[in-house]
Amino acid sequence: MYKKIRNKFREKPTLFYACSIVASWAGVGSLMNFRTIALDYGAVPAIIWAVFNSLACITFGLFVDRVPSIRRIMQSKVMFYFIGLLTLFQTWTQMSGIYEIFGDTPIGTSGGMVIVYITCAAFLIMLLKDGMIRNVLSDGFSWLVVYGLLGVVVVAALIYTRGAFASIDMGTNASGIKAGVYNGLLLLPGPFACPYYYSLYEYNDSNSDGTRRGNIKIHAGL
């Protein structure tokens, strides 16, 4: 089954790249930021923020190759170590989000952390075998798991809170709209600091394992 999917990816990688780019960008941090904005400012500002979150990857795909020096700078040793530090911060953000989410369910924060560690270990082992192909393909599968777990968390939270919902204002006032737009604009340059996207570019350019080359601008814009 895996070999069949892998061969399909090598022949027509476009959709796989697009799913991988989106899955890598919209993680736990996105979910938690959306939740925070919705609770603090209202539903409309949260939706505005979500639209900008979707546009961020499209912006990257449209402009990264129009300024060729961006890729050269991001692949320098200085940026390699700088982005490494950013990755540690992103990991901490993801872990904090998972900690907070599971804290509101019967699974609890301890159970959530165990799930995270086991999942991380499994993915690291898989990535050691097939490298970029495994990373791209696992992104699609992991998002199926994410949606499944999201449903489980929602049901568990409803049972635990006995159906008590948080009251969310529409947030159509000027301050709410401004907060949604401002926080959304801050998202747009984010993908330009994502090391995985540049690795995907290099993988697509080298084509060393026989995977068909594609237009990354199209992949990121899907």
Side-chain angles (χ1 to χ4, degrees):
M1 182 65 179
Y2 170 71
K3 289 183 178 179
K4 183 178 180 180
I5 297 175
R6 184 182 62 184
N7 291 336
K8 185 177 180 181
F9 161 73
R10 284 177 169 170
E11 293 174 3
K12 297 181 179 180
T14 301
L15 181 60
F16 292 97
Y17 283 152
C19 291
S20 181
I21 289 171
V22 173
S24 300
W25 174 244
V28 175
S30 294
L31 177 62
M32 296 309 300
N33 284 332
F34 181 85
R35 173 181 178 273
T36 299
I37 293 174
L39 292 176
D40 291 348
Y41 300 103
V44 173
I47 293 173
I48 293 174
W49 179 89
V51 171
F52 275 99
N53 198 30
S54 300
L55 291 174
C57 290
I58 297 175
T59 302
F60 174 83
L62 291 175
F63 290 101
V64 68
D65 256 352
R66 296 191 179 186
V67 186
S69 59
I70 292 179
R71 290 180 64 184
R72 291 196 297 269
I73 292 173
M74 294 303 295
Q75 291 165 348
S76 65
K77 288 186 178 181
V78 174
M79 292 306 298
F80 175 82
Y81 291 111
F82 176 70
I83 292 176
L85 292 175
L86 289 180
T87 302
L88 292 176
F89 175 75
Q90 290 174 340
T91 302
W92 175 81
T93 302
Q94 301 287 331
M95 298 290 281
S96 298
I98 294 171
Y99 181 90
E100 186 174 346
I101 290 174
F102 279 108
D104 294 332
T105 70
I107 297 176
T109 55
S110 298
M113 295 303 287
V114 170
I115 293 174
V116 171
Y117 287 131
I118 293 176
T119 303
C120 288
F123 274 103
L124 285 174
I125 293 173
M126 288 191 300
L127 294 177
L128 288 174
K129 182 178 181 181
D130 285 339
M132 187 61 73
I133 289 181
R134 181 75 73 168
N135 190 84
V136 173
L137 295 181
S138 64
D139 279 340
F141 172 76
S142 64
W143 263 105
L144 293 177
V145 176
V146 166
Y147 284 123
L149 289 177
L150 183 61
V152 172
V153 169
V154 170
V155 172
L158 289 174
I159 295 174
Y160 183 72
T161 61
R162 298 181 180 179
F165 292 92
S167 179
I168 299 178
D169 186 72
M170 287 298 294
T172 54
N173 53 73
S175 60
I177 300 299
K178 180 180 179 181
V181 173
Y182 175 76
N183 286 282
L185 288 173
L186 292 177
L187 288 170
L188 295 183
F192 290 90
C194 182
Y196 171 61
Y197 294 163
Y198 296 97
S199 297
L200 198 59
Y201 258 92
E202 291 303 309
Y203 172 75
N204 181 65
D205 290 343
S206 64
N207 197 31
S208 58
D209 61 7
T211 300
R212 181 177 296 180
R213 292 176 182 169
N215 188 335
I216 293 292
K217 289 185 289 186
I218 294 178
H219 305 154
L222 285 176

